[in-house]
Amino acid sequence: QPTQCPAHPRRNSTMSVEQAVAQWNAYSSKTWQRDKILRLVDFTVRFVNFYASDPEQAALLSRVSGVIKSSRKFLRLGRWLEFLQAAVKASRAHMNAPERTFTIGKSLGMGGWLVWDNILFLRQLGVLEGDKKQALERGAQFWACGMLCAVLLDLYQLGKHLDQAPQKHVHRLDGASSTSSEESHRAKKHSLMISLARNVLDLTVPLSILGFYVPVLVPHNGAVALNAMISSCITIWLGWPSSTHSF
């Protein structure tokens, strides 16, 4: 009898939507980290430009900032898919009502901002027609709503965490040593506080685009740039690979 070739697993000719979105998110997550580095450089340039007294230097910094903005917008193309997927997952997850509401609101707000950010970029390239200022303001509205939900989510989780008293000691079965859960409780609290501070600082950026300036926190665009610089440093530090963060 003729020998038969071993059976190979059948490969699907089409890929499911969820797999395609997951692969795109895996790719865009790398470019997202590059966007954060460019974001730090961008707002540093804006901060220096705000206090620049030389008109030629200010014009040069404005051109540099424009190039960086365009590069960041290119890296953010299609990024809204991840936030849409996060909103769908949050709607199916086992959460209480406030946490689910804030999580979905954050995802939809950030996703809506990125949709308008992509539209603005395509209009700047001349691919789409339309008012660029309108796209910028619509995106800032979604961005502010998303960041506000992120702040409320941090406040809710922080309050919930503070209500949970840590256990005094957790003993290992072998009796070799014992560790206190107070350290993990304190580390979680500090992590939530850092996330809250970062989101509050980021909230000032879309508010400034919409014309909302608050004394002390958002008095002018120079302070907004400084806030964004600090939040960018926090984001890069927290997302730095192969690093441990002790609080």
Side-chain angles (χ1 to χ4, degrees):
Q1 297 180 354
T3 57
Q4 297 180 353
C5 297
H8 295 279
R10 184 177 182 181
R11 298 179 180 179
N12 295 327
S13 58
T14 59
M15 186 181 301
S16 66
V17 176
E18 292 184 358
Q19 288 177 335
V21 172
Q23 288 188 358
W24 169 257
N25 292 338
Y27 168 76
S28 62
S29 64
K30 299 178 182 179
T31 59
W32 187 248
Q33 296 299 329
R34 299 170 189 170
D35 174 62
K36 292 303 179 182
I37 297 175
L38 286 176
R39 185 178 192 264
L40 174 60
V41 177
D42 180 21
F43 280 101
T44 302
V45 172
R46 297 191 204 183
F47 179 78
V48 176
N49 188 22
F50 182 81
Y51 293 100
S53 57
D54 186 2
E56 294 183 359
Q57 182 183 13
L60 175 61
L61 292 174
S62 297
R63 290 194 297 268
V64 172
S65 178
V67 173
I68 297 175
K69 287 180 183 178
S70 299
S71 301
R72 294 185 58 214
K73 290 182 184 301
F74 174 76
L75 294 176
R76 292 197 296 260
L77 285 174
R79 178 69 179 179
W80 55 270
L81 276 171
E82 180 176 345
F83 289 97
L84 178 61
Q85 187 182 35
V88 174
K89 288 183 178 180
S91 65
R92 300 173 180 174
H94 296 285
M95 302 179 182
N96 50 42
E99 193 169 3
R100 178 184 289 108
T101 301
F102 295 147
T103 303
I104 295 176
K106 172 187 174 182
S107 300
L108 293 180
M110 298 301 292
W113 160 57
L114 289 170
V115 168
W116 281 104
D117 184 72
N118 291 171
I119 294 175
L120 175 60
F121 180 61
L122 294 177
R123 287 180 178 178
Q124 290 175 343
L125 293 178
V127 178
L128 296 179
E129 296 182 356
D131 189 359
K132 300 175 185 177
K133 184 178 180 181
Q134 178 195 26
L136 179 64
E137 292 178 351
R138 290 288 180 87
Q141 292 171 356
F142 276 97
W143 189 2
C145 291
M147 293 310 304
L148 180 60
C149 288
V151 170
L152 294 176
L153 178 62
D154 287 334
L155 288 173
Y156 177 79
Q157 291 180 341
L158 182 60
K160 182 179 178 181
H161 181 71
L162 293 177
D163 289 339
Q164 299 175 352
Q167 298 178 357
K168 293 298 181 182
H169 295 281
V170 178
H171 296 275
R172 292 175 52 180
L173 296 177
D174 56 5
S177 62
S178 62
T179 58
S180 174
S181 63
E182 293 180 356
E183 294 182 1
S184 60
H185 186 273
R186 183 167 54 253
K188 178 65 174 179
K189 182 185 71 173
H190 289 175
S191 177
L192 290 172
M193 293 177 64
I194 289 176
S195 177
L196 175 62
R198 178 184 59 178
N199 289 330
V200 169
L201 293 173
D202 279 339
L203 178 60
T204 63
V205 180
L207 290 180
S208 66
I209 297 176
L210 297 173
F212 293 99
Y213 292 91
V214 182
V216 181
L217 187 61
V218 201
H220 47 69
N221 288 332
V224 173
L226 180 60
N227 293 339
M229 288 167 57
I230 297 174
S231 66
S232 298
C233 290
I234 295 174
T235 302
I236 294 173
W237 174 62
L238 293 177
W240 199 259
S242 301
S243 62
T244 57
H245 308 114
S246 58
F247 302 98

